[in-house]
Amino acid sequence: MAPEETVDLQAVTIGVGTLLAIGFLAYGTVVSGSVLGVATATAAAWAFAATFAVLAALHAATGRTDLALAHGGAAVGWGLVLVGSSGVHVLVGLLFLAVGGGYIARTTIRARAEQQQEQEYEQEQKRGRERGEDESGGQRTENAPSE
């Protein structure tokens, strides 16, 4: 698949998960406080847990084991927070969320910075070619016809 044909499944997955969570909260505000016997706030939190689990699977499928583990850890963290029967369970869940989320944020920021540097380099190379410079930054010389 060519780069221009790729789809950012991470953004789509996060968008769908967020819309699902907002939908649960809106339903809880307007219609009823529960969906199938589950409080809508709890259903919204489970939607986020499922979103992290799907992201973990997507990253595992693309070979990004580090991000798969980080998203999986965050999904487990959400699960522990939601079903935790004691303060310790909830605390461990929050720890998983913080560690996984921190790694995801750090990795995403670094990847975007690298991508921006690559784009700036490519733009500079393009401008150089338009000005008639060679790859080293010097002026290109045209060979005069030999006699």
Side-chain angles (χ1 to χ4, degrees), residues 5 20 49-50 56 146:
E5 297 176 16
L20 184 61
S146 56

Side-chain angles (χ1 to χ4, degrees), residues 55-72:
L55 288 170
L58 288 173
H59 284 295
T62 60
R64 287 299 308 260
T65 309
D66 59 336
L67 287 173
L69 291 172
H71 283 90

Side-chain angles (χ1 to χ4, degrees), residues 30-109:
V30 176
V31 180
S32 172
S34 66
V35 175
L36 301 173
V38 176
T40 54
T42 302
W46 277 111
F48 281 125
T51 300
F52 277 107
V54 170
L55 288 170
L58 288 173
H59 284 295
T62 60
R64 287 299 308 260
T65 309
D66 59 336
L67 287 173
L69 291 172
H71 283 90
V76 168
W78 268 114
L80 288 171
V81 167
L82 290 167
V83 300
S85 59
S86 71
V88 173
H89 289 134
V90 173
L91 187 60
V92 170
L94 290 173
L95 180 66
F96 271 84
L97 273 170
V99 170
Y103 183 82
I104 293 164
R106 182 186 66 89
T107 304
T108 302
I109 290 167

